[in-house]
mmCIF file of all heavy atoms in Angstrom:
data_model
loop_
_atom_site.group_PDB
_atom_site.id
_atom_site.type_symbol
_atom_site.label_atom_id
_atom_site.label_comp_id
_atom_site.label_asym_id
_atom_site.label_seq_id
_atom_site.Cartn_x
_atom_site.Cartn_y
_atom_site.Cartn_z
ATOM 1 N N THR J 54 -39.657 13.452 -21.872
ATOM 2 C CA THR J 54 -39.953 12.797 -23.141
ATOM 3 C C THR J 54 -38.964 11.673 -23.387
ATOM 4 O O THR J 54 -39.271 10.602 -23.821
ATOM 5 C CB THR J 54 -39.976 13.822 -24.248
ATOM 6 O OG1 THR J 54 -40.968 14.772 -24.000
ATOM 7 C CG2 THR J 54 -40.170 13.131 -25.560
ATOM 8 N N LEU J 55 -37.615 12.023 -23.202
ATOM 9 C CA LEU J 55 -36.642 11.004 -23.477
ATOM 10 C C LEU J 55 -36.754 9.786 -22.536
ATOM 11 O O LEU J 55 -36.572 8.626 -22.951
ATOM 12 C CB LEU J 55 -35.230 11.609 -23.313
ATOM 13 C CG LEU J 55 -34.840 12.576 -24.463
ATOM 14 C CD1 LEU J 55 -33.515 13.312 -24.105
ATOM 15 C CD2 LEU J 55 -34.706 11.839 -25.772
ATOM 16 N N ALA J 56 -37.171 10.051 -21.309
ATOM 17 C CA ALA J 56 -37.422 8.950 -20.389
ATOM 18 C C ALA J 56 -38.617 8.096 -20.860
ATOM 19 O O ALA J 56 -38.528 6.875 -20.843
ATOM 20 C CB ALA J 56 -37.695 9.509 -18.962
ATOM 21 N N ALA J 57 -39.656 8.781 -21.306
ATOM 22 C CA ALA J 57 -40.831 8.039 -21.829
ATOM 23 C C ALA J 57 -40.475 7.231 -23.073
ATOM 24 O O ALA J 57 -40.835 6.050 -23.194
ATOM 25 C CB ALA J 57 -41.968 9.035 -22.150
ATOM 26 N N LEU J 58 -39.771 7.826 -24.028
ATOM 27 C CA LEU J 58 -39.384 7.163 -25.245
ATOM 28 C C LEU J 58 -38.496 5.956 -24.949
ATOM 29 O O LEU J 58 -38.609 4.910 -25.512
ATOM 30 C CB LEU J 58 -38.650 8.117 -26.167
ATOM 31 C CG LEU J 58 -39.409 9.291 -26.708
ATOM 32 C CD1 LEU J 58 -38.522 10.218 -27.588
ATOM 33 C CD2 LEU J 58 -40.676 8.840 -27.486
ATOM 34 N N THR J 59 -37.582 6.137 -23.960
ATOM 35 C CA THR J 59 -36.666 5.045 -23.599
ATOM 36 C C THR J 59 -37.479 3.887 -22.960
ATOM 37 O O THR J 59 -37.253 2.750 -23.306
ATOM 38 C CB THR J 59 -35.631 5.556 -22.569
ATOM 39 O OG1 THR J 59 -34.865 6.603 -23.180
ATOM 40 C CG2 THR J 59 -34.652 4.420 -22.129
ATOM 41 N N LYS J 60 -38.373 4.262 -22.053
ATOM 42 C CA LYS J 60 -39.183 3.220 -21.484
ATOM 43 C C LYS J 60 -40.009 2.427 -22.474
ATOM 44 O O LYS J 60 -40.178 1.194 -22.310
ATOM 45 C CB LYS J 60 -40.170 3.817 -20.370
ATOM 46 C CG LYS J 60 -40.705 2.761 -19.452
ATOM 47 C CD LYS J 60 -42.038 3.187 -18.822
ATOM 48 C CE LYS J 60 -41.803 4.007 -17.559
ATOM 49 N NZ LYS J 60 -43.020 4.122 -16.749
ATOM 50 N N GLN J 61 -40.441 3.042 -23.515
ATOM 51 C CA GLN J 61 -41.255 2.419 -24.540
ATOM 52 C C GLN J 61 -40.377 1.745 -25.595
ATOM 53 O O GLN J 61 -40.915 1.197 -26.546
ATOM 54 C CB GLN J 61 -42.240 3.429 -25.182
ATOM 55 C CG GLN J 61 -43.206 4.012 -24.212
ATOM 56 C CD GLN J 61 -43.998 2.985 -23.430
ATOM 57 O OE1 GLN J 61 -44.426 1.930 -23.988
ATOM 58 N NE2 GLN J 61 -44.215 3.149 -22.142
ATOM 59 N N GLY J 62 -39.136 1.868 -25.470
ATOM 60 C CA GLY J 62 -38.207 1.203 -26.427
ATOM 61 C C GLY J 62 -38.069 1.937 -27.788
ATOM 62 O O GLY J 62 -37.596 1.291 -28.709
ATOM 63 N N LEU J 63 -38.457 3.188 -27.794
ATOM 64 C CA LEU J 63 -38.297 3.968 -29.113
ATOM 65 C C LEU J 63 -36.912 4.532 -29.185
ATOM 66 O O LEU J 63 -36.522 4.992 -30.280
ATOM 67 C CB LEU J 63 -39.347 5.051 -29.157
ATOM 68 C CG LEU J 63 -40.834 4.518 -29.205
ATOM 69 C CD1 LEU J 63 -41.777 5.715 -29.303
ATOM 70 C CD2 LEU J 63 -40.989 3.617 -30.423
ATOM 71 N N CYS J 64 -36.149 4.588 -28.071
ATOM 72 C CA CYS J 64 -34.782 4.973 -28.193
ATOM 73 C C CYS J 64 -34.103 4.333 -27.031
ATOM 74 O O CYS J 64 -34.717 3.616 -26.188
ATOM 75 C CB CYS J 64 -34.602 6.471 -28.157
ATOM 76 S SG CYS J 64 -34.955 7.296 -26.643
ATOM 77 N N ALA J 65 -32.763 4.476 -26.873
ATOM 78 C CA ALA J 65 -32.033 3.845 -25.742
ATOM 79 C C ALA J 65 -31.150 4.943 -25.101
ATOM 80 O O ALA J 65 -30.626 5.853 -25.807
ATOM 81 C CB ALA J 65 -31.177 2.755 -26.288
ATOM 82 N N ALA J 66 -31.064 4.841 -23.752
ATOM 83 C CA ALA J 66 -30.169 5.720 -23.072
ATOM 84 C C ALA J 66 -28.847 4.998 -22.817
ATOM 85 O O ALA J 66 -28.868 3.869 -22.382
ATOM 86 C CB ALA J 66 -30.845 6.042 -21.671
ATOM 87 N N ARG J 67 -27.711 5.671 -23.127
ATOM 88 C CA ARG J 67 -26.444 5.005 -22.953
ATOM 89 C C ARG J 67 -25.491 5.843 -22.139
ATOM 90 O O ARG J 67 -25.261 7.031 -22.392
ATOM 91 C CB ARG J 67 -25.856 4.759 -24.346
ATOM 92 C CG ARG J 67 -26.781 4.176 -25.346
ATOM 93 C CD ARG J 67 -26.123 3.187 -26.305
ATOM 94 N NE ARG J 67 -27.111 2.680 -27.230
ATOM 95 C CZ ARG J 67 -27.814 1.555 -27.010
ATOM 96 N NH1 ARG J 67 -27.616 0.832 -25.873
ATOM 97 N NH2 ARG J 67 -28.691 1.097 -27.898
ATOM 98 N N GLN J 68 -24.886 5.220 -21.195
ATOM 99 C CA GLN J 68 -23.856 5.863 -20.375
ATOM 100 C C GLN J 68 -22.511 5.268 -20.744
ATOM 101 O O GLN J 68 -22.141 4.249 -20.146
ATOM 102 C CB GLN J 68 -24.205 5.623 -18.884
ATOM 103 C CG GLN J 68 -23.232 6.359 -17.909
ATOM 104 C CD GLN J 68 -23.540 7.765 -17.660
ATOM 105 O OE1 GLN J 68 -24.656 8.079 -17.179
ATOM 106 N NE2 GLN J 68 -22.651 8.714 -18.037
ATOM 107 N N LEU J 69 -21.822 5.825 -21.666
ATOM 108 C CA LEU J 69 -20.594 5.178 -22.217
ATOM 109 C C LEU J 69 -19.402 5.748 -21.473
ATOM 110 O O LEU J 69 -18.296 5.125 -21.574
ATOM 111 C CB LEU J 69 -20.546 5.405 -23.673
ATOM 112 C CG LEU J 69 -21.715 4.835 -24.550
ATOM 113 C CD1 LEU J 69 -21.656 5.325 -25.945
ATOM 114 C CD2 LEU J 69 -21.617 3.294 -24.504
ATOM 115 N N GLU J 70 -19.498 6.835 -20.766
ATOM 116 C CA GLU J 70 -18.404 7.452 -20.139
ATOM 117 C C GLU J 70 -18.958 8.296 -19.005
ATOM 118 O O GLU J 70 -20.215 8.436 -18.902
ATOM 119 C CB GLU J 70 -17.561 8.334 -21.097
ATOM 120 C CG GLU J 70 -18.555 9.139 -21.978
ATOM 121 C CD GLU J 70 -17.806 9.991 -22.992
ATOM 122 O OE1 GLU J 70 -16.600 10.187 -22.938
ATOM 123 O OE2 GLU J 70 -18.500 10.570 -23.907
ATOM 124 N N SER J 71 -18.171 8.909 -18.174
ATOM 125 C CA SER J 71 -18.717 9.789 -17.179
ATOM 126 C C SER J 71 -19.277 11.064 -17.883
ATOM 127 O O SER J 71 -18.896 11.285 -19.017
ATOM 128 C CB SER J 71 -17.686 10.185 -16.146
ATOM 129 O OG SER J 71 -16.617 10.856 -16.766
ATOM 130 N N GLY J 72 -20.200 11.731 -17.237
ATOM 131 C CA GLY J 72 -20.808 12.845 -17.882
ATOM 132 C C GLY J 72 -22.239 12.519 -18.232
ATOM 133 O O GLY J 72 -22.753 11.488 -17.852
ATOM 134 N N PRO J 73 -22.917 13.397 -19.013
ATOM 135 C CA PRO J 73 -24.347 13.212 -19.300
ATOM 136 C C PRO J 73 -24.642 11.974 -20.073
ATOM 137 O O PRO J 73 -23.829 11.522 -20.907
ATOM 138 C CB PRO J 73 -24.728 14.482 -20.012
ATOM 139 C CG PRO J 73 -23.446 15.092 -20.561
ATOM 140 C CD PRO J 73 -22.436 14.656 -19.594
ATOM 141 N N VAL J 74 -25.838 11.398 -19.871
ATOM 142 C CA VAL J 74 -26.337 10.276 -20.627
ATOM 143 C C VAL J 74 -26.531 10.715 -22.110
ATOM 144 O O VAL J 74 -26.919 11.825 -22.384
ATOM 145 C CB VAL J 74 -27.628 9.725 -20.000
ATOM 146 C CG1 VAL J 74 -28.290 8.704 -20.867
ATOM 147 C CG2 VAL J 74 -27.398 9.199 -18.617
ATOM 148 N N ARG J 75 -26.260 9.736 -22.948
ATOM 149 C CA ARG J 75 -26.476 10.030 -24.404
ATOM 150 C C ARG J 75 -27.662 9.125 -24.908
ATOM 151 O O ARG J 75 -27.933 8.098 -24.374
ATOM 152 C CB ARG J 75 -25.186 9.687 -25.205
ATOM 153 C CG ARG J 75 -24.050 10.480 -24.768
ATOM 154 C CD ARG J 75 -22.756 10.284 -25.571
ATOM 155 N NE ARG J 75 -21.870 11.390 -25.343
ATOM 156 C CZ ARG J 75 -21.950 12.495 -26.033
ATOM 157 N NH1 ARG J 75 -22.810 12.653 -26.997
ATOM 158 N NH2 ARG J 75 -21.031 13.459 -25.805
ATOM 159 N N PHE J 76 -28.346 9.665 -25.891
ATOM 160 C CA PHE J 76 -29.523 8.978 -26.376
ATOM 161 C C PHE J 76 -29.303 8.411 -27.816
ATOM 162 O O PHE J 76 -28.630 9.093 -28.628
ATOM 163 C CB PHE J 76 -30.760 9.878 -26.298
ATOM 164 C CG PHE J 76 -31.139 10.144 -24.804
ATOM 165 C CD1 PHE J 76 -30.594 11.189 -24.157
ATOM 166 C CD2 PHE J 76 -31.971 9.251 -24.205
ATOM 167 C CE1 PHE J 76 -30.854 11.400 -22.806
ATOM 168 C CE2 PHE J 76 -32.289 9.493 -22.868
ATOM 169 C CZ PHE J 76 -31.707 10.549 -22.156
ATOM 170 N N ASP J 77 -29.823 7.248 -27.997
ATOM 171 C CA ASP J 77 -29.505 6.513 -29.260
ATOM 172 C C ASP J 77 -30.778 6.052 -29.910
ATOM 173 O O ASP J 77 -31.529 5.330 -29.285
ATOM 174 C CB ASP J 77 -28.633 5.283 -28.759
ATOM 175 C CG ASP J 77 -28.010 4.544 -29.922
ATOM 176 O OD1 ASP J 77 -28.411 4.794 -31.100
ATOM 177 O OD2 ASP J 77 -27.081 3.804 -29.669
#
Side-chain angles (χ1 to χ4, degrees):
Chain J
T54 299
L55 289 170
L58 297 178
T59 300
K60 193 202 274 194
Q61 299 305 319
L63 296 180
C64 70
R67 313 216 180 269
Q68 182 85 60
L69 299 168
E70 44 181 349
S71 60
V74 169
R75 298 183 165 276
F76 292 89
D77 191 343

